[in-house]
Amino acid sequence: MKALVWHGRNDVRCDTIPDPRIEAPRDAIVKVTSTAICGSDLHLYDGYIPAMESGDVLGHEFMGEVVEVGRENHKLKVGDRVVVPFNICCGECFFCRSGQWSCCERTNRDADQATKMFGHNTAGLFGYSHLTGHYPGGQAEYVRVPYADVCPTKVPAGLSDEQVLFLTDIFPTGYQAAKFAEIADGDTVAVWGCGPVGQFCIRSAQMLGAGRVVAIDRVAERLDLAKQSGAEAIDFSKEDVYERLNQLTQGRGPDRCIDAVGMEAHGTDSWDAVADRTLAAVGIGTDRIHALRDCLRNVRAGGTVSLSGVYGGFLNMVPLGAAFQKGVTIRMGQCNVLNYMDELLAAIEQGKIDPSFVITHRAGLEEGPGLYETFKNKKDGCIKVVMHPHS
Ligand SMILES: NC(=O)c1ccc[n+]([C@@H]2O[C@H](COP(=O)([O-])OP(=O)(O)OC[C@H]3O[C@@H](n4cnc5c(N)ncnc54)[C@H](O)[C@@H]3O)[C@@H](O)[C@H]2O)c1
Ligand SMILES: [Zn+2]
Ligand SMILES: [Zn+2]
């Protein structure tokens, strides 16, 4: 079959590799009908996540048709159409039972590595390195889905791939970020990053009662899309974000700040962004955290900072003093996709939201390597890429 394979930094290829097979009794094999590239894939592409190996198959946002099931999988049958959350979960452990799906303690085949890095083990993920189970991903014609009787969710008839594909990750991720922000009716919510995740943070904040949403980025078409959703926009390359947010909030700062940027923030020429780059270059820094610093500095006293952007390593110059002195609540984490699946699927079915609004590029798998480059560099108006491996 064809699949998008990581070969090194900035080197993704469309290779021909062996078809996946059932390996465990709860597995299913899914024929992928739609798969997307995520900002999280860019962290792999850019070499920010350690423990990738040449030959790893990418992709954690995918859906398709079940073509084979293991003998102990009683949930799925051949022919079912499913969306597959990016977390791989056993459904039985302490964390799965308490809804902390992203920390399932049984599915990460690289548990030792993860424990060394993070103190404790976290869940297996599709297509996401030898820290999270080295499971081949779904940017492929077929994929093996382990524990396929837990997370994969059947798609109700009548909904298109484009309507439901983002239930695998970015819609619930944006929704969780807004939930974690603890938005009260009428709150002012500022969202850093207007990529696909940021767009869903904006929509979710509105669904959860925000009075005003302010979107921050520097890419014109992403800010425009945020405005179409009813957000006010700040271009951080042209305006002083702190000044403008204070103007909008009687000098107090936004009630809730959501970071939808993560570890590869740009910071124009600010001193801290220059320091991040320098520290990374000499090996004593990992993440570039300008957006996180901005959230902590801007949030009003007693407010909330919610991180949906991914962080991976050891952070320098975190303004913890600002967070502490202002009594800020900080929440973060990989999305526990399954917690939001039913609610968001219902919102789509009821026509409250059509998640396909973020899609700008549709292609086959062969065009994948070029589209990684286009998405990374935000060329050609690219916001979200969806690939159809069988068309
Ligand atoms: N928590 C989760 O489970 C989860 C799931 C999916 C994605 N993510 C993470 O969410 C983040 C965003 O993903 P995406 O797909 O939208 O990626 P993306 O790269 O398309 O979007 C990031 C956006 O942030 C903007 N940006 C960069 N620096 C900024 C700054 N200083 N201030 C404001 N905006 C800035 C960029 O211009 C870009 O538009 C990534 O870190 C991704 O890994 C997390
Ligand atoms: Zn993703
Ligand atoms: Zn579990």
Side-chain angles (χ1 to χ4, degrees), residues 192-193 257-266 272 276 287-299 304-320 322-323 326 328-332:
W192 273 257
C257 292
I258 300 179
D259 172 352
V261 179
M263 62 165 78
E264 295 186 67
H266 299 282
D272 65 300
D276 281 345
D287 311 30
R288 299 190 325 237
I289 65 163
H290 184 74
L292 168 60
R293 290 191 192 103
D294 245 10
C295 286
L296 295 173
R297 176 165 180 245
N298 279 283
V299 67
T304 313
V305 171
S306 167
L307 314 181
S308 60
V310 165
Y311 289 93
F314 300 89
L315 277 46
N316 292 302
M317 297 175 297
V318 179
L320 206 62
K326 292 194 282 185
V328 172
T329 301
I330 307 175
R331 283 208 70 181
M332 65 189 89

Side-chain angles (χ1 to χ4, degrees), residues 18 46-47 52 58 93-94 120 138 160 162 178 216 233 246 298 330 355 358 367 378-379:
D46 293 337
M52 283 298 282
L58 293 163
C93 73
F94 171 83
H120 298 92
S160 67
E162 292 195 351
I216 302 150
N246 273 336
N298 279 283
I330 307 175
V358 290
E367 290 141 278
K378 300 164 186 71
K379 283 195 207 132

